[in-house]
Amino acid sequence: MDDFIVRALLAGSAVVLLAGLLGSILLWRRLAYLGDTLSHSSLLGVALGLLTGLPINVWMMVVCAIVALLLLYVQYNPRLSSDTLLTIIGQSALAIGTVALTFLPGVRVDLMAYLFGDILAVSHSDVLTAWGLTFAIFALMYKLWRPLIALAVHEPLAQVEGINVKAVSAAYMLLVAFTVAIAMKVVGVLLLTALLIIPAATARRFARTPEGMVGLAMVCGLIALAGGMFLSLQFDTPTGPSIVMLASLLFLVAQFVPSRTTA
C-alpha cells in the first residue's frame, strides 16, 4: 500500500473517531449547527495564518476557540435565537476568511483544498498532530463524560446536582473547536459538519446506550472513510466528498433496517 494512502487512513481514522465521540453529544444537545459554525469560522484562521506567517493549524484553533466561547456566551445570554446567531457568525466568518485570502499579496491558496479537504496530501506531521490531539481529547472527554451526559438529559437538573454547567459546556465546545481545526484537512470546511453529524445520526437509530451510540458512530465513520477513499482512488473522485457521500448512503440504508431502542 502506498505511503500516502497509509497516512490518509491514519489521519482520517483519528478524525472519524473524534467525530463519532463529539458528534454524538452534538446530537444529544441539539447543537448540530455548532459544528457547522466552527468549521466555517476556521477559514478565517487560515487567512490569519497566511497573513502572519504563523502555523495555520494554530490560528484555526485560536479562531475556533474564540468563536466557541462566543457561542457559549450567546447561549446563556440570548437576545436572538441560537440558530440565527450560529448562522450569522458562521457565514460571516466564512465570507471574511474567503475575501481576506484574495487580498494576500503573492500568496497562492488552493481554496478547494480548504473547502472540501485534501486527505491524500496529509504529511507525517499531520498524522502525529491528529493522533496526539485525539488521545488528549479522549482523555479529557473521559473526565467530562458523565457531566456532559447529565447536561444532555436535563441541564437544569444537572445544575441542581452541582455540575458547573458553563464550565463543562465551555470545555466541550473548545474540544469541538480543536477537532474542527485538525479535521479540516480531511473533508474541508463545507463537509466537516456532515462527518460530525451523519455517522452519529446513523448510529442513533440502533444504539441502546450513549456509549453504544458513540461506538457505532465511530464504526460508521471508519466504514465511510475506508469506502470513500476506495471510491476516490478507483474512480478519481474528490476524496472528502466521497467519504461524506458514503456516510450519507449508510444513513439512508439504516432507515430501512429495523431499529432498536435509541440512545
Side-chain angles (χ1 to χ4, degrees), residues 63-112:
V63 170
C64 288
I66 292 172
V67 171
L69 294 176
L70 176 62
L71 294 176
L72 181 66
Y73 174 80
V74 168
Q75 183 178 352
Y76 289 102
N77 297 274
R79 294 184 181 179
L80 294 174
S81 68
S82 296
D83 288 351
T84 301
L85 286 169
L86 285 171
T87 301
I88 291 172
I89 293 171
Q91 298 301 325
S92 299
L94 178 63
I96 293 169
T98 305
V99 171
L101 288 174
T102 64
F103 285 98
L104 292 175
V107 177
R108 300 185 64 182
V109 180
D110 183 4
L111 271 179
M112 293 296 289

Side-chain angles (χ1 to χ4, degrees), residues 48-261:
L48 291 172
L50 294 172
L51 181 65
T52 61
L54 297 175
I56 290 175
N57 280 346
V58 173
W59 267 113
M60 285 195 296
M61 289 182 186
V62 170
V63 170
C64 288
I66 292 172
V67 171
L69 294 176
L70 176 62
L71 294 176
L72 181 66
Y73 174 80
V74 168
Q75 183 178 352
Y76 289 102
N77 297 274
R79 294 184 181 179
L80 294 174
S81 68
S82 296
D83 288 351
T84 301
L85 286 169
L86 285 171
T87 301
I88 291 172
I89 293 171
Q91 298 301 325
S92 299
L94 178 63
I96 293 169
T98 305
V99 171
L101 288 174
T102 64
F103 285 98
L104 292 175
V107 177
R108 300 185 64 182
V109 180
D110 183 4
L111 271 179
M112 293 296 289
Y114 288 114
L115 293 176
F116 296 102
D118 193 8
I119 189 174
L120 297 180
V122 297
S123 62
H124 289 290
S125 63
D126 291 328
V127 174
L128 292 175
T129 300
W131 276 103
L133 283 172
T134 296
F135 283 124
I137 290 173
F138 265 80
L140 291 170
M141 282 296 294
Y142 178 78
K143 297 290 186 181
L144 293 172
W145 181 251
R146 290 192 179 278
L148 282 171
I149 294 297
L151 293 186
V153 173
H154 197 278
E155 187 171 311
L157 181 60
Q159 192 165 10
V160 169
E161 291 177 349
I163 294 174
N164 190 330
V165 171
K166 292 183 180 179
V168 171
S169 296
Y172 169 70
M173 286 187 174
L174 288 174
L175 294 183
V176 175
F178 295 151
T179 300
V180 166
I182 66 172
M184 189 170 156
K185 202 161 189 176
V186 177
V187 289
V189 169
L190 299 181
L191 300 176
L192 180 54
T193 308
L195 199 61
L196 280 166
I197 299 302
I198 296 176
T202 305
R204 189 175 192 173
R205 182 172 174 80
F206 306 102
R208 292 181 173 178
T209 64
E211 293 79 8
M213 178 172 162
V214 170
L216 284 173
M218 291 177 180
V219 171
C220 291
L222 290 171
I223 293 172
L225 170 70
M229 286 188 59
F230 175 79
L231 290 175
S232 176
L233 294 171
Q234 283 289 113
F235 302 104
D236 195 27
T237 57
T239 310
S242 298
I243 294 170
V244 174
M245 182 183 72
L246 197 59
S248 301
L249 181 62
L250 286 174
F251 174 78
L252 181 62
V253 171
Q255 306 313 301
F256 297 96
V257 178
S259 65
R260 297 180 175 183
T261 303

